[in-house]
Amino acid sequence: MVKVFLAGAGPGAPELLTLKTARLLACAEIVLHDSLVGPAILELIDRDAQIIDVGKRCGQASNAQTEICRLLVEAALTGKRVVRLKGGDPVIFGRLTEEMEALRQAGIAFEVVPGITAASAAAAALNVSLTQRQVSRSVHIITGHGAEYGLPAHNWTALALAGGTLAIYMGTKHLPGLVASLLAAGIDPQIPAIAIERATLPEQRILRADLAQMPETLARAAPTGPVLFLAGAALADR
Ligand SMILES: C[S@@+](CC[C@H](N)C(=O)[O-])C[C@H]1O[C@@H](n2cnc3c(N)ncnc32)[C@H](O)[C@@H]1O
C-alpha cells in the first residue's frame, strides 16, 4: 500500500532539508505544498510530478484546512507517491493533526518526516543558543495569534516569569499586544529581543531591540516575509 509522507521543508534554504525529504521529492508523483515553501526547494521535485500549491489554491478562508485535507486524501487515493510538504517542521504549528486525522479516516497510511523549525534555524543564523547554562533553562515555542486570529490566550505570567527563551511564531500582526501582555505580566522590558525575517534565505533580515522597543522597531521595518521573534537573556550580545 502506498504511504503519504508529511514532510518538513525546513526554514527555506534547500541545504537545510533533510536528506530523506530531498529523496522523497526527487521521486514524488504528487506534491502538495504550503506557500512558505519557496522556489529553490520546489526545484528539487521530480520534473514530471504534479505540484499543488495548497496555500494559493485554498487561500486563507476558514474552510481552507478542510479543503487541503480533501485534496490530500484525493491525491493519496490515486495510488501515486504523494508528499505533503510543509514549511519548517510539520509538528510545529503545521496543522498536522488535522491532516493525519483525515488520512486515518480514509484508511491511508502515512509517515511524518521532521524538518528544521524556524526557531532552530533562526538561532543558528544568529549564532545564539536558545538555552544557556544558568541563563535560560527552557525554550517556549508559542503562537502569536489565537482563535479567530485575535491575541492568543497564553498564560502570560508563567511565560514572563519562567525566565526562558521565548520563540514567537506568527507574531507580526499582534506584536504590540503580545509584548504588552508580557510586560503587564512582569517580564523585564529590557530583555534582548530579535526579529528575524525570512531566516536562512538570501533576503534574511535581522532586527534587534529591547523587548519593549521591538513593536516600534518592527513597525519601522515593515516586513513582508515570515518573521520569527526571539526574546530572552540568552540572546544578549557578547
Ligand atoms: C504556520 S507557522 C509554520 C511553522 C513551521 N512549521 C516551522 O516549524 O518553522 C509560520 C510561521 O513560522 C515562522 N517562520 C517559518 N519560516 C520562517 C523563516 N524562514 N524565517 C522566519 N520565520 C519563519 C514565522 O513566524 C511564520 O509566521
Side-chain angles (χ1 to χ4, degrees), residues 50 102 111 119 188 210 216:
Q50 183 188 357
E111 179 178 331
D188 175 357
D210 290 348
E216 206 183 307

Side-chain angles (χ1 to χ4, degrees), residues 36-187:
L36 263 187
V37 179
I41 286 179
L42 297 179
E43 269 176 29
L44 303 174
I45 299 172
D46 183 272
R47 274 173 197 284
D48 297 327
Q50 183 188 357
I51 302 177
I52 307 172
D53 178 349
V54 292
K56 202 177 222 172
R57 184 149 163 197
C58 303
Q60 298 297 317
S62 58
N63 66 351
Q65 190 56 51
T66 312
E67 177 61 3
I68 291 171
C69 290
R70 193 191 65 72
L71 288 172
L72 182 59
V73 169
E74 187 180 274
L77 290 175
T78 62
K80 293 183 175 170
R81 290 185 295 275
V82 177
V83 177
R84 169 72 174 105
L85 191 61
K86 292 166 174 285
D89 190 337
V91 307
I92 304 284
F93 302 129
R95 304 293 294 264
L96 182 65
T97 310
E98 292 90 326
E99 294 178 25
M100 291 191 301
E101 192 49 34
L103 292 169
R104 270 190 205 107
Q105 279 184 13
I108 296 162
F110 60 83
E111 179 178 331
V112 179
V113 184
I116 294 178
T117 193
S120 301
L126 296 160
N127 290 332
V128 297
S129 173
L130 299 180
T131 58
Q132 201 181 122
R133 243 175 127 239
Q134 294 174 351
V135 175
S136 172
R137 295 186 172 90
S138 55
V139 178
H140 306 268
I141 290 180
I142 65 171
T143 174
H145 69 66
E148 305 306 323
Y149 299 94
L151 206 59
H154 294 303
N155 182 339
W156 296 110
T157 307
L159 290 171
L161 301 184
T165 303
L166 293 174
I168 309 179
Y169 288 63
M170 299 169 282
T172 302
K173 185 171 171 201
H174 295 302
L175 195 66
L178 296 166
V179 170
S181 302
L182 286 164
L183 295 175
I187 204 167

